[in-house]
Amino acid sequence: MSEKLEPLSGGRYWPDFRQEVLDCLRHWLAVGTSGALVGLAGAGKSNLLLYLARYPEQLLQADNASFTVLVTIDLNLLVDRQPTTLYRLILRGCWHQRDRFSEPLLSLLEPLYDEHKQTRDLFLAQTAVHDLLAAVEQQGGRVVLILDQFDHFCRTASAELTMLLRSLRDSFRETLIYFVGMRQTVIYMPEPQMLGELYQLLDTHVCWVGAMRPVDAQMFIAQELGRANRQATAEEITLLLALTGGYAALLKAACAWWLTVPERPSLD
């Protein structure tokens, strides 16, 4: 099997990790559109978004912008549900990825972050984000905001917050892209109309995250069993895939069962 990449937050990734999903996201980048990654709990959606944040080059191979920076925004940190805090989270997310910006943009980003990271003034926080995106736009670049658990965020978000995201994208249509992670499509949200034009974007461009391809599932099994220095036979791997359908959470549970049951039943 292929050599695995370095461990990351309890997970391991390998070359060609979930390429069927990455191909979909590459298409979104090529046409410059936002979209929703939709998958039930345990499908590996958040793990995939974590992979993108750590290894953006796997996604940007065919990108036609002068440069693209992937920025993860943890919406769980928006504890006060204030627009000012959301702008500051975006600014801080870009600051954490500062090494991926060009030198002229870096010289703008660092003082912007230092000056506005503690501001409570909504206009100043908004201006800082707009100034940064305007500079990115001038250089023909793009920023992709990765927003996981977006449907959970929208259940408690005010119309002001969702309008903020919509207006920000409308102001920088060629520069700003959203990749949002959701457990359900937008039509099942309590008040989907709050998203405005974002609703059409996230409803039109949907990438389903479901069962893993056989090659990914086999690597997943090897990874799970390898942590205990164990290895399954080809027949056992085939049965584990058949029993779980290659769905990440079920496969993880099946591997744990395989490791802990003292006497496994016969293959028959």
Side-chain angles (χ1 to χ4, degrees):
M1 294 183 178
S2 302
E3 182 182 357
K4 64 178 181 291
L5 299 181
E6 64 180 272
L8 174 62
S9 298
R12 294 186 182 88
Y13 306 111
W14 46 86
D16 299 327
F17 177 79
R18 305 213 73 160
Q19 284 299 301
E20 77 285 0
V21 180
L22 292 187
D23 287 342
C24 176
L25 300 185
R26 290 187 188 108
H27 173 69
W28 291 355
L29 279 180
V31 299
T33 189
S34 302
L37 283 81
V38 181
L40 297 176
K45 169 179 46 61
S46 295
N47 198 39
L48 174 65
L49 293 175
L50 191 63
Y51 171 74
L52 292 180
R54 184 63 182 270
Y55 303 105
E57 63 277 2
Q58 300 299 320
L59 180 64
L60 304 179
Q61 295 167 352
D63 189 21
N64 54 18
S66 62
F67 67 91
T68 298
V69 181
L70 272 61
V71 177
T72 298
I73 306 298
D74 187 349
L75 294 172
N76 290 322
L77 298 179
L78 192 63
V79 291
D80 57 8
R81 292 296 192 266
Q82 295 299 312
T84 305
T85 306
L86 182 54
Y87 278 122
R88 290 160 60 204
L89 279 177
I90 293 172
L91 192 62
R92 185 174 69 182
C94 292
W95 181 80
H96 280 311
Q97 297 297 323
R98 59 193 180 278
D99 291 342
R100 301 188 183 275
F101 286 92
S102 63
E103 181 58 37
L105 286 171
L106 182 61
S107 62
L108 170 67
L109 173 58
E110 290 188 326
L112 272 179
Y113 176 66
D114 287 339
E115 183 178 351
H116 296 93
K117 63 184 178 183
Q118 295 182 2
T119 186
R120 299 294 179 179
D121 187 301
L122 177 56
F123 180 76
L124 291 179
Q126 180 191 69
T127 300
V129 173
H130 275 245
D131 286 351
L132 176 61
L133 291 176
V136 172
E137 186 175 54
Q138 289 177 358
Q139 294 200 7
R142 285 192 298 207
V143 172
V144 178
L145 295 187
I146 299 175
L147 307 169
D148 197 10
Q149 302 185 45
F150 188 71
D151 45 347
H152 177 72
F153 158 77
C154 288
R155 289 192 188 99
T156 57
S158 64
E160 187 178 14
L161 281 177
T162 55
M163 187 174 293
L164 180 161
L165 291 171
R166 185 184 72 198
S167 62
L168 191 61
R169 187 263 171 189
D170 288 346
S171 299
F172 298 96
R173 289 179 179 270
E174 305 299 322
T175 303
L176 184 62
I177 292 175
Y178 297 140
F179 286 172
V180 307
M182 309 178 70
R183 291 187 177 182
Q184 294 178 312
T185 54
V186 289
I187 194 173
Y188 294 109
M189 291 173 53
E191 297 182 65
Q193 66 277 6
M194 288 178 58
L195 292 176
E197 291 185 7
L198 276 181
Y199 177 90
Q200 284 76 28
L201 277 176
L202 303 181
D203 187 51
T204 303
H205 302 281
V206 177
C207 182
W208 295 95
V209 182
M212 292 186 288
R213 300 175 305 159
V215 62
D216 283 316
Q218 290 169 11
M219 290 295 295
F220 185 92
I221 293 172
Q223 170 194 117
E224 290 296 308
L225 302 186
R227 289 177 178 146
N229 295 319
R230 304 284 292 281
Q231 187 174 6
T233 66
E235 292 80 6
E236 288 173 320
I237 290 175
T238 299
L239 277 177
L240 287 173
L241 293 179
L243 289 169
T244 62
Y247 192 79
L250 297 178
L251 198 54
K252 188 176 185 66
C255 289
W257 168 84
W258 189 94
L259 287 170
T260 56
V261 172
E263 295 185 11
R264 291 185 293 274
S266 68
L267 294 182
D268 290 338

